[in-house]
């Protein structure tokens, strides 16, 4: 992208109109990470929450060495729980294993379920089996959304020894939980997981049975 366009984006990020700032952030999609990050940083403390939120998300997509420390600091110190949740989510997009400890800490220490949910999802994105204990705690939470995140993430980290614990949710009244289970089981190739997927094929909810079909196909492809 030409310097003229970068200058134009920079100028729009200084606009008093928040819509201009949002559009400028959106236009950074086509810009290389090293050019985009200095511009994103201009609005990380924006007075408008949607602008801040979009800027935080953008740091997860435009990966440079600066991004992770900025996101970890936001996750640990920002007073707005929505921004902390955005930071946790963006760390998952970066897929940098160095974010592991910060995400675990956020799961255990943050009092807002949305932040804990984002941290659990991102731990799944990192694909590190060390997250197993955290995810099992999320699995046994009373919050259905945390249970959903844990079921998905345990599949992503391929925690085969936790299959028994997630299979309990095959009988859940919540169809979204059953759907997440059907998706998650596609990461395993064991007798129990395949048997559970065949059971979920007959689920009365079409999203659940469809997810089971896809997961069985995924397992076959891996053989």
């Amino acid at each position: 992208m030409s310097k003229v366009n970068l200058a134009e984006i920079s100028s729009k990020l200084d606009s008093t109109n928040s819509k201009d700032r949002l559009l400028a952030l959106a236009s950074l999609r086509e810009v290389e990470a090293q050019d985009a990050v200095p511009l994103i940083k201009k609005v990380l403390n924006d007075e408008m929450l949607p602008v801040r939120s979009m800027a935080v998300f953008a740091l997860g997509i435009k990966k440079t060495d600066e991004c992770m420390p900025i996101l970890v600091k936001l996750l640990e110190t920002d007073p707005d729980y929505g921004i902390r949740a955005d930071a946790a989510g963006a760390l998952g997009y970066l897929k940098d294993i160095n974010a592991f400890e910060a995400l675990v800490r956020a799961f255990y220490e943050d009092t807002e379920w949305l932040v804990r949910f984002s941290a659990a999802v991102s731990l799944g994105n990192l694909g590190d089996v060390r997250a197993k204990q955290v995810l099992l705690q999320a699995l046994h939470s009373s919050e259905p959304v945390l249970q959903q995140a844990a079921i998905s993430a345990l599949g992503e980290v391929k925690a085969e020894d936790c299959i028994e614990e997630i299979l309990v949710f095959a009988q859940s009244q919540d169809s979204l939980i059953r759907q997440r289970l059907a998706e998650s089981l596609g990461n395993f190739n064991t007798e129990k997981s395949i048997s559970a997927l065949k059971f979920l094929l007959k689920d009365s909810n079409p999203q659940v049975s469809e997810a089971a079909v896809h997961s069985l196909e995924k397992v076959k492809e891996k053989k």
Side-chain angles (χ1 to χ4, degrees), residues 4-87:
V4 176
N5 284 342
L6 286 176
E8 195 179 305
I9 293 170
S10 182
S11 170
K12 277 189 177 173
L13 287 169
D14 291 328
S15 167
T16 52
N17 185 329
S18 62
K19 193 176 172 186
D20 284 342
R21 301 197 298 280
L22 283 169
L23 287 169
L25 278 172
S27 66
L28 287 172
R29 215 169 286 147
E30 308 300 321
V31 177
E32 291 292 327
Q34 66 267 24
D35 292 326
V37 169
L39 295 172
I40 294 164
K41 283 164 66 183
K42 289 179 73 165
V43 286
L44 273 176
N45 295 308
D46 200 273
E47 63 195 34
M48 296 292 289
L49 205 55
V51 177
R52 287 195 75 204
S53 182
M54 194 171 177
V56 171
F57 175 76
L59 286 179
I61 307 296
K62 301 293 180 183
K63 186 175 182 177
T64 72
D65 291 343
E66 275 188 283
C67 296
M68 199 191 81
I70 293 171
L71 289 170
V72 167
K73 190 176 180 191
L74 287 168
L75 173 61
E76 291 177 344
T77 64
D78 202 273
D80 189 283
Y81 74 86
I83 294 297
R84 296 198 305 278
D86 289 335

